[in-house]
Amino acid sequence: MKKLINAPDAVVKEALEGMEAAHGDRLKITYEPAMIVRADAPVQGKVGIISGGGSGHEPMHGGFVGRGMLDAACPGEVFTSPTPDQMLEATKAVDGGAGVLHIVKNYTGDVLNFEMAADLAKGEGIEVEAVVTNDDVAVQDSLYTAGRRGVGITVIAEKICGAAAEEGKSLAEVAELCRQVNGQGRTMGMALTACTTPAAGTPSFDLGPEEMEIGIGIHGEPGRFREPLGSAAQVVERLATAVVEDLPYQSGDNVLAFVNGMGGTPLIELYVVYRELHKFLDGRGISITRNLIGNYITSLEMAGCSITLLKLDDELTRLWDAPVDTPALRWGA
Amino acid sequence: MKKLINAPDAVVKEALEGMEAAHGDRLKITYEPAMIVRADAPVQGKVGIISGGGSGHEPMHGGFVGRGMLDAACPGEVFTSPTPDQMLEATKAVDGGAGVLHIVKNYTGDVLNFEMAADLAKGEGIEVEAVVTNDDVAVQDSLYTAGRRGVGITVIAEKICGAAAEEGKSLAEVAELCRQVNGQGRTMGMALTACTTPAAGTPSFDLGPEEMEIGIGIHGEPGRFREPLGSAAQVVERLATAVVEDLPYQSGDNVLAFVNGMGGTPLIELYVVYRELHKFLDGRGISITRNLIGNYITSLEMAGCSITLLKLDDELTRLWDAPVDTPALRWGA
């Protein structure tokens, strides 16, 4: 295992300390329980938004805390759900009187723990709504999930809901928007290589030198197909066909196209993938009117990519374009 | 070789096509010769700034083209200098009558070709100044370079000079600022793994499973030491000691600290590295007042990092903070 770390069991805590040292002017970091919180939280009268999940997917979620996106994130250990007490404390930390939205990726542990936290928060008089994202079209059930996994759309939902909350929308409105984004979004991913958790020290699965895995999850869960290594065009054909036909996205649609790297894939390759995706969608009469290209929801050092599409309307486009000021996504601010 | 590409000899062109598809609203892409140019270039009365170099270091340089940073970038083939005609055409494309600054990383091919381009541009009546960056403290001469290599400070210089040009500073002033940034900046990098160019198809060098290379260049050129894999703390001690003692940076200094990933290292590890760097500098009385953490000057999918420090004053800090609007660096705009 070759990693820039000190001790496997200290990675999450030490990365948080790095975030605190780097971004302490705009983020509050706590360790017991572990949370990344907007420095100015709670914002009175604004709906608070929190998310969380296992670490190892950086910058998601901690890198998305800030004005116009999340109010707090709860990092678990690597590929391990955070605990209900983290989520409860985060909920309390960001409640400005207008209630709190939990954006939850569909993994069994995350869902159960967020449910428990929501119940506890409600017991303390905080209004909570939860939206579970489940945009991964690859498989119905998988290693950590009943139903579809929540993946790339989560990043987009956090941005769009963050903008709506910043504008003063109500909890019911922000939650409904989150359901809409999830409903109009689809994702599929693939891997060229496995990844190694610090605790395990060996790769989570084996992929031969001439193999790739199509439809993989963000923890290396098995996908749809293991097949011979293909070209970027073949990979995009596989992923984008499954994504487009699932909703389906149709001729005349405007979409946000999100080409995401899994952590170990360099940007030059993601632009080759984007080229293929643009051609593919163009051939179906689907217009990319917004895009995001980079490593945003990752699986440690896994090489590979995912493709997320979100069907846009004017309102979603406006909220996507609104200012955001977080360590990992920043514009207009 | 596991890469998301179509054909090894098409990677650079197809990645450019991806950039055009993604950012065509704000960038003009040309292919013969290959250039990435601000859509609104030339900006009349503003000093133009161009840079360039081999591809494989993305987002540098093409991802830094836009308002407040570069006016154009010239991408060569992977790890191969661009040609003088690319640089000449870029110079002409961005000349708004106030002259053009060439920011050149110190690699022999880049330096020679930029010199030839500057001579040709001067012959066409364009005022040109060139500044060669050489911030890498690792080695004096190396595989591709006489003298020190130009690495991480180049990113910082492009940002700061871009801000100064946007404010209307003269060519002489912007060039002097670039020399100042280079003079007050130092970098050293390391690798955990090699990288594979698409054309070669096999790793550029071998590193054993328990080895790392300290002081490596951005093309995998040999460094100072090959030694047993160390902890993040040991890696930072090695890199930061060499960097700090070279200028030297002293107690009371304010610095911009840039922790850069080499392309295959996930963000969670870069934050662990940042934590160590913060502790290291704190112990020497050096204050980090600005930071940049992420994969900005890369070596394809190489795992590893580099540390760049820039000694700041109020003016450099102000120019760093100024708005920037490029695909890879964006704030305040």
Coordinates of all heavy atoms in Angstrom, one line a residue, chain A residues 187-259:
Chain A
T187 N -26.9 8.1 -13.1 CA -25.4 8.0 -13.1 C -25.0 6.6 -13.4 O -25.7 5.6 -13.0 CB -24.8 8.4 -11.7 OG1 -25.1 9.8 -11.4 CG2 -23.3 8.2 -11.6
M188 N -23.9 6.4 -14.0 CA -23.2 5.1 -14.0 C -21.7 5.3 -14.1 O -21.2 6.2 -14.7 CB -23.7 4.2 -15.2 CG -23.3 2.7 -14.9 SD -24.4 1.5 -15.7 CE -23.4 0.8 -17.0
G189 N -21.0 4.4 -13.4 CA -19.5 4.5 -13.3 C -18.8 3.3 -13.7 O -19.4 2.2 -13.9
M190 N -17.5 3.4 -13.8 CA -16.7 2.3 -14.2 C -15.3 2.4 -13.6 O -14.9 3.5 -13.2 CB -16.5 2.2 -15.7 CG -15.9 3.4 -16.4 SD -14.1 3.5 -16.4 CE -13.7 1.9 -17.3
A191 N -14.6 1.3 -13.5 CA -13.2 1.3 -12.9 C -12.2 0.7 -13.8 O -12.5 -0.4 -14.4 CB -13.2 0.6 -11.5
L192 N -11.0 1.3 -13.9 CA -9.9 0.6 -14.5 C -9.0 -0.1 -13.5 O -8.3 -1.1 -13.9 CB -9.0 1.7 -15.2 CG -9.6 2.4 -16.4 CD1 -8.7 3.5 -16.9 CD2 -9.9 1.4 -17.6
T193 N -9.1 0.4 -12.3 CA -8.3 -0.2 -11.2 C -9.1 -0.3 -10.0 O -10.1 0.4 -9.8 CB -7.0 0.6 -10.9 OG1 -7.3 1.8 -10.4 CG2 -6.1 0.8 -12.2
A194 N -8.7 -1.1 -9.0 CA -9.3 -1.2 -7.7 C -8.7 0.0 -6.8 O -7.9 0.7 -7.3 CB -9.0 -2.5 -7.1
C195 N -9.2 0.0 -5.6 CA -8.6 1.0 -4.6 C -8.3 0.2 -3.4 O -8.8 -0.9 -3.2 CB -9.5 2.1 -4.4 SG -11.1 1.7 -3.7
T196 N -7.5 0.8 -2.5 CA -7.1 0.1 -1.3 C -7.4 1.0 -0.1 O -7.0 2.1 0.0 CB -5.5 -0.1 -1.3 OG1 -5.2 -0.9 -2.5 CG2 -5.0 -0.7 -0.1
T197 N -8.2 0.4 0.8 CA -8.5 1.2 2.0 C -7.3 1.2 2.9 O -6.6 0.1 2.9 CB -9.7 0.7 2.8 OG1 -9.5 -0.6 3.2 CG2 -11.0 0.7 1.9
P198 N -7.0 2.3 3.6 CA -5.8 2.2 4.5 C -5.9 1.1 5.5 O -4.9 0.5 5.8 CB -5.9 3.6 5.2 CG -6.7 4.5 4.3 CD -7.7 3.6 3.6
A199 N -7.1 0.8 6.0 CA -7.2 -0.3 7.0 C -6.9 -1.6 6.5 O -6.3 -2.5 7.1 CB -8.6 -0.2 7.7
A200 N -7.4 -1.9 5.2 CA -7.2 -3.2 4.6 C -5.7 -3.4 4.1 O -5.1 -4.4 4.3 CB -8.2 -3.4 3.5
G201 N -5.2 -2.4 3.5 CA -3.9 -2.4 3.0 C -3.7 -3.2 1.7 O -2.6 -3.2 1.1
T202 N -4.7 -3.9 1.2 CA -4.6 -4.6 -0.1 C -5.8 -4.2 -0.9 O -6.9 -3.8 -0.3 CB -4.6 -6.1 0.1 OG1 -5.7 -6.5 0.9 CG2 -3.3 -6.5 0.8
P203 N -5.8 -4.3 -2.2 CA -6.9 -3.8 -3.1 C -8.2 -4.5 -2.7 O -8.2 -5.7 -2.3 CB -6.4 -4.2 -4.5 CG -4.9 -4.2 -4.4 CD -4.6 -4.7 -3.0
S204 N -9.3 -3.8 -2.8 CA -10.6 -4.3 -2.5 C -11.1 -5.3 -3.4 O -12.0 -6.1 -3.1 CB -11.6 -3.1 -2.4 OG -11.5 -2.4 -3.6
F205 N -10.5 -5.4 -4.6 CA -10.9 -6.4 -5.6 C -9.8 -6.5 -6.6 O -8.9 -5.6 -6.6 CB -12.2 -6.2 -6.2 CG -12.3 -4.9 -7.0 CD1 -12.3 -4.9 -8.4 CD2 -12.5 -3.7 -6.3 CE1 -12.4 -3.7 -9.1 CE2 -12.6 -2.5 -7.0 CZ -12.5 -2.5 -8.4
D206 N -9.8 -7.5 -7.5 CA -8.8 -7.6 -8.5 C -9.4 -7.4 -9.9 O -10.4 -7.9 -10.2 CB -8.2 -9.1 -8.5 CG -7.3 -9.3 -7.2 OD1 -6.5 -8.4 -7.0 OD2 -7.5 -10.3 -6.6
L207 N -8.7 -6.6 -10.6 CA -9.0 -6.4 -12.0 C -7.7 -6.7 -12.8 O -6.7 -6.1 -12.5 CB -9.4 -4.9 -12.3 CG -10.8 -4.5 -12.3 CD1 -11.0 -3.0 -12.5 CD2 -11.6 -5.3 -13.3
G208 N -7.8 -7.6 -13.8 CA -6.7 -8.0 -14.5 C -6.2 -6.8 -15.4 O -6.9 -5.8 -15.6
P209 N -4.9 -6.9 -15.9 CA -4.3 -5.8 -16.6 C -5.1 -5.4 -17.9 O -4.9 -4.4 -18.4 CB -2.9 -6.3 -16.9 CG -2.9 -7.7 -16.6 CD -4.0 -8.0 -15.7
E210 N -5.9 -6.4 -18.4 CA -6.6 -6.1 -19.6 C -8.1 -6.0 -19.4 O -8.9 -6.2 -20.3 CB -6.3 -7.2 -20.7 CG -4.9 -7.3 -21.0 CD -4.3 -6.1 -21.7 OE1 -5.1 -5.4 -22.4 OE2 -3.1 -5.8 -21.6
E211 N -8.5 -5.8 -18.1 CA -10.0 -5.8 -17.7 C -10.4 -4.5 -17.2 O -9.6 -3.7 -16.6 CB -10.2 -6.8 -16.6 CG -10.2 -8.3 -17.1 CD -10.5 -9.2 -15.9 OE1 -10.1 -8.9 -14.7 OE2 -11.2 -10.2 -16.1
M212 N -11.7 -4.2 -17.4 CA -12.3 -3.1 -16.7 C -13.7 -3.6 -16.1 O -14.2 -4.6 -16.5 CB -12.5 -1.9 -17.6 CG -13.4 -2.2 -18.8 SD -13.5 -0.7 -19.9 CE -14.7 -1.3 -21.1
E213 N -14.2 -2.8 -15.1 CA -15.5 -3.1 -14.5 C -16.4 -2.0 -14.8 O -16.2 -0.9 -14.5 CB -15.3 -3.3 -13.0 CG -16.5 -3.7 -12.3 CD -16.7 -5.2 -12.0 OE1 -15.8 -5.9 -12.2 OE2 -17.9 -5.6 -11.8
I214 N -17.5 -2.4 -15.5 CA -18.5 -1.4 -15.9 C -19.7 -1.4 -14.9 O -20.2 -2.5 -14.6 CB -19.1 -1.7 -17.3 CG1 -17.9 -1.6 -18.3 CG2 -20.2 -0.8 -17.7 CD1 -17.5 -0.2 -18.7
G215 N -20.1 -0.3 -14.3 CA -21.2 -0.2 -13.4 C -20.8 -0.4 -12.0 O -21.6 -0.8 -11.1
I216 N -19.6 -0.1 -11.7 CA -19.0 -0.3 -10.3 C -19.6 0.8 -9.4 O -20.0 1.9 -9.8 CB -17.5 -0.2 -10.4 CG1 -16.9 -0.9 -9.2 CG2 -17.0 1.3 -10.5 CD1 -15.5 -1.5 -9.5
G217 N -19.6 0.5 -8.1 CA -20.0 1.4 -7.1 C -18.8 2.2 -6.5 O -17.6 1.9 -6.9
I218 N -19.1 3.2 -5.7 CA -17.9 4.0 -5.2 C -17.2 3.4 -4.1 O -16.3 4.0 -3.5 CB -18.4 5.4 -4.8 CG1 -19.5 5.4 -3.8 CG2 -18.9 6.2 -6.0 CD1 -19.9 6.7 -3.2
H219 N -17.5 2.2 -3.7 CA -16.6 1.4 -2.8 C -16.0 0.2 -3.5 O -15.6 -0.7 -2.8 CB -17.4 1.0 -1.6 CG -18.3 2.0 -1.0 ND1 -19.6 2.2 -1.4 CD2 -18.0 3.0 -0.1 CE1 -20.1 3.3 -0.7 NE2 -19.1 3.7 0.1
G220 N -16.1 0.2 -4.8 CA -15.6 -1.0 -5.5 C -16.6 -2.1 -5.5 O -16.2 -3.2 -5.8
E221 N -17.8 -1.8 -5.2 CA -18.8 -2.9 -5.3 C -18.9 -3.4 -6.7 O -18.8 -2.6 -7.6 CB -20.2 -2.5 -4.9 CG -20.3 -1.8 -3.5 CD -20.2 -0.3 -3.7 OE1 -19.2 0.2 -4.3 OE2 -21.2 0.4 -3.3
P222 N -19.2 -4.6 -7.0 CA -19.2 -5.2 -8.3 C -20.3 -4.4 -9.2 O -21.3 -3.9 -8.6 CB -19.6 -6.6 -8.1 CG -19.2 -7.0 -6.8 CD -19.3 -5.7 -6.0
G223 N -20.0 -4.4 -10.5 CA -20.9 -3.7 -11.4 C -21.7 -4.6 -12.2 O -22.1 -5.7 -11.8
R224 N -22.0 -4.2 -13.4 CA -22.8 -5.0 -14.4 C -22.0 -6.0 -15.1 O -22.4 -7.1 -15.4 CB -23.5 -4.1 -15.4 CG -24.7 -3.4 -14.9 CD -25.4 -2.8 -16.2 NE -26.5 -1.9 -15.8 CZ -27.3 -1.4 -16.7 NH1 -27.2 -1.7 -17.9 NH2 -28.3 -0.6 -16.3
F225 N -20.8 -5.5 -15.6 CA -20.0 -6.3 -16.5 C -18.6 -6.2 -16.1 O -18.1 -5.1 -15.9 CB -20.1 -5.8 -18.0 CG -21.5 -5.5 -18.4 CD1 -21.9 -4.1 -18.5 CD2 -22.4 -6.5 -18.8 CE1 -23.1 -3.8 -19.0 CE2 -23.6 -6.1 -19.3 CZ -24.0 -4.8 -19.4
R226 N -17.9 -7.3 -16.2 CA -16.4 -7.2 -16.2 C -16.0 -7.6 -17.6 O -16.4 -8.7 -18.1 CB -15.8 -8.1 -15.2 CG -14.3 -8.1 -15.3 CD -13.6 -8.7 -14.0 NE -14.0 -8.0 -12.8 CZ -13.4 -8.1 -11.7 NH1 -12.4 -8.9 -11.5 NH2 -13.8 -7.4 -10.6
E227 N -15.3 -6.8 -18.3 CA -15.0 -7.0 -19.7 C -13.7 -6.5 -20.1 O -13.0 -5.8 -19.3 CB -16.1 -6.4 -20.5 CG -16.3 -4.9 -20.3 CD -17.6 -4.5 -21.1 OE1 -18.6 -5.1 -21.1 OE2 -17.5 -3.4 -21.7
P228 N -13.2 -6.9 -21.3 CA -11.9 -6.4 -21.8 C -11.9 -4.9 -21.8 O -12.8 -4.3 -22.2 CB -11.8 -7.1 -23.2 CG -12.7 -8.2 -23.2 CD -13.9 -7.8 -22.3
L229 N -10.7 -4.4 -21.5 CA -10.4 -3.0 -21.5 C -10.9 -2.4 -22.9 O -10.6 -2.9 -23.9 CB -8.9 -2.8 -21.4 CG -8.4 -1.5 -21.0 CD1 -8.9 -1.0 -19.6 CD2 -6.8 -1.6 -20.9
G230 N -11.7 -1.3 -22.8 CA -12.2 -0.7 -24.1 C -11.6 0.7 -24.2 O -11.0 1.2 -23.3
S231 N -11.9 1.3 -25.4 CA -11.5 2.7 -25.6 C -12.5 3.6 -24.8 O -13.5 3.2 -24.3 CB -11.7 3.0 -27.1 OG -13.0 2.9 -27.5
A232 N -12.1 4.9 -24.8 CA -12.9 5.9 -24.1 C -14.3 5.9 -24.8 O -15.3 6.0 -24.1 CB -12.3 7.2 -24.2
A233 N -14.3 5.8 -26.1 CA -15.6 5.8 -26.8 C -16.4 4.6 -26.4 O -17.7 4.8 -26.2 CB -15.3 5.8 -28.3
Q234 N -15.8 3.5 -26.3 CA -16.6 2.3 -25.9 C -17.1 2.4 -24.5 O -18.3 2.0 -24.1 CB -15.8 1.0 -26.0 CG -15.5 0.6 -27.5 CD -14.4 -0.4 -27.7 OE1 -13.5 -0.5 -26.9 NE2 -14.5 -1.2 -28.8
V235 N -16.3 2.9 -23.6 CA -16.7 3.1 -22.2 C -17.9 4.1 -22.1 O -18.9 3.8 -21.4 CB -15.5 3.7 -21.4 CG1 -16.0 4.2 -20.0 CG2 -14.5 2.6 -21.2
V236 N -17.8 5.2 -22.8 CA -18.9 6.2 -22.8 C -20.1 5.6 -23.4 O -21.2 5.8 -22.9 CB -18.5 7.5 -23.5 CG1 -19.7 8.4 -23.7 CG2 -17.4 8.2 -22.7
E237 N -20.0 4.9 -24.5 CA -21.2 4.2 -25.1 C -21.9 3.3 -24.1 O -23.1 3.4 -23.9 CB -20.7 3.3 -26.3 CG -21.8 2.5 -27.0 CD -22.6 3.3 -28.0 OE1 -22.1 4.3 -28.5 OE2 -23.8 2.9 -28.2
R238 N -21.1 2.5 -23.3 CA -21.7 1.7 -22.3 C -22.4 2.5 -21.2 O -23.5 2.2 -20.9 CB -20.5 0.9 -21.6 CG -20.1 -0.3 -22.3 CD -21.1 -1.4 -22.2 NE -20.5 -2.7 -22.3 CZ -21.2 -3.8 -22.5 NH1 -22.5 -3.8 -22.6 NH2 -20.6 -5.0 -22.6
L239 N -21.7 3.5 -20.6 CA -22.2 4.2 -19.5 C -23.4 5.1 -19.9 O -24.4 5.1 -19.3 CB -21.1 5.1 -18.9 CG -19.9 4.4 -18.3 CD1 -19.0 5.4 -17.7 CD2 -20.2 3.3 -17.3
A240 N -23.2 5.8 -21.0 CA -24.2 6.8 -21.4 C -25.4 6.2 -21.9 O -26.5 6.7 -21.7 CB -23.6 7.8 -22.4
T241 N -25.3 5.1 -22.6 CA -26.5 4.4 -23.1 C -27.4 3.9 -21.9 O -28.6 4.2 -21.9 CB -26.1 3.1 -23.9 OG1 -25.3 3.5 -25.0 CG2 -27.4 2.4 -24.4
A242 N -26.8 3.4 -20.9 CA -27.5 2.9 -19.7 C -28.2 4.1 -19.0 O -29.3 4.0 -18.6 CB -26.6 2.2 -18.8
V243 N -27.4 5.2 -18.9 CA -27.9 6.4 -18.2 C -29.1 7.0 -19.0 O -30.2 7.3 -18.5 CB -26.8 7.4 -18.0 CG1 -27.3 8.8 -17.7 CG2 -25.8 6.9 -17.0
V244 N -28.9 7.2 -20.3 CA -29.9 7.9 -21.1 C -31.1 7.1 -21.2 O -32.2 7.7 -21.2 CB -29.3 8.2 -22.5 CG1 -30.4 8.6 -23.5 CG2 -28.3 9.4 -22.4
E245 N -31.0 5.8 -21.4 CA -32.2 5.0 -21.6 C -33.0 4.8 -20.3 O -34.1 4.3 -20.4 CB -31.8 3.7 -22.3 CG -31.3 4.0 -23.7 CD -30.9 2.8 -24.6 OE1 -31.0 1.7 -24.0 OE2 -30.7 3.0 -25.8
D246 N -32.4 5.0 -19.2 CA -33.0 4.7 -18.0 C -34.1 5.7 -17.6 O -35.3 5.4 -17.3 CB -32.1 4.7 -16.8 CG -32.7 4.1 -15.6 OD1 -32.7 2.8 -15.5 OD2 -33.2 4.8 -14.7
L247 N -33.8 7.0 -17.8 CA -34.8 8.0 -17.4 C -36.1 8.0 -18.2 O -37.2 7.8 -17.6 CB -34.2 9.5 -17.4 CG -35.1 10.6 -16.8 CD1 -35.3 10.3 -15.3 CD2 -34.5 11.9 -17.0
P248 N -36.2 8.0 -19.5 CA -35.1 8.3 -20.4 C -34.9 9.8 -20.7 O -35.8 10.6 -20.5 CB -35.6 7.6 -21.7 CG -37.0 7.8 -21.7 CD -37.4 7.8 -20.2
Y249 N -33.7 10.1 -21.1 CA -33.4 11.5 -21.6 C -33.7 11.4 -23.1 O -33.4 10.5 -23.8 CB -31.9 11.9 -21.4 CG -31.6 11.9 -19.9 CD1 -31.2 10.7 -19.3 CD2 -31.6 13.1 -19.2 CE1 -30.9 10.7 -17.9 CE2 -31.3 13.1 -17.8 CZ -30.9 11.9 -17.2 OH -30.6 11.9 -15.9
Q250 N -34.3 12.5 -23.6 CA -34.8 12.5 -25.0 C -34.3 13.7 -25.8 O -33.9 14.7 -25.3 CB -36.4 12.5 -24.9 CG -36.9 11.3 -24.3 CD -38.4 11.4 -24.0 OE1 -38.9 12.4 -23.5 NE2 -39.1 10.3 -24.4
S251 N -34.5 13.5 -27.1 CA -34.1 14.6 -28.0 C -34.8 15.9 -27.6 O -36.0 15.9 -27.3 CB -34.5 14.2 -29.4 OG -34.2 15.2 -30.3
G252 N -34.1 17.0 -27.5 CA -34.6 18.2 -27.1 C -34.3 18.6 -25.7 O -34.4 19.7 -25.2
D253 N -33.9 17.5 -24.9 CA -33.6 17.8 -23.5 C -32.3 18.6 -23.3 O -31.4 18.5 -24.1 CB -33.4 16.5 -22.7 CG -34.7 15.8 -22.3 OD1 -35.8 16.4 -22.5 OD2 -34.6 14.6 -21.9
N254 N -32.3 19.5 -22.4 CA -31.1 20.2 -21.9 C -30.6 19.5 -20.7 O -31.4 19.2 -19.8 CB -31.4 21.7 -21.6 CG -31.7 22.5 -22.8 OD1 -31.2 22.1 -23.9 ND2 -32.4 23.5 -22.7
V255 N -29.3 19.2 -20.6 CA -28.8 18.5 -19.4 C -27.6 19.1 -18.9 O -26.8 19.8 -19.6 CB -28.5 17.0 -19.7 CG1 -29.7 16.2 -20.2 CG2 -27.3 16.9 -20.8
L256 N -27.4 18.9 -17.6 CA -26.1 19.1 -17.0 C -25.3 17.8 -17.1 O -25.9 16.8 -16.7 CB -26.2 19.5 -15.5 CG -25.0 19.9 -14.7 CD1 -25.4 20.7 -13.5 CD2 -24.1 18.8 -14.3
A257 N -24.1 17.8 -17.7 CA -23.3 16.6 -17.8 C -22.1 16.7 -16.8 O -21.4 17.6 -16.9 CB -22.8 16.5 -19.2
F258 N -22.0 15.7 -16.0 CA -21.0 15.7 -14.9 C -20.1 14.5 -15.2 O -20.5 13.3 -15.1 CB -21.7 15.5 -13.6 CG -20.8 15.3 -12.4 CD1 -19.5 15.6 -12.3 CD2 -21.4 14.7 -11.2 CE1 -18.7 15.4 -11.2 CE2 -20.6 14.5 -10.1 CZ -19.3 14.8 -10.1
V259 N -18.9 14.7 -15.7 CA -17.9 13.7 -15.9 C -17.0 13.7 -14.7 O -16.2 14.6 -14.5 CB -17.1 13.9 -17.2 CG1 -15.9 12.9 -17.3 CG2 -18.0 13.7 -18.4

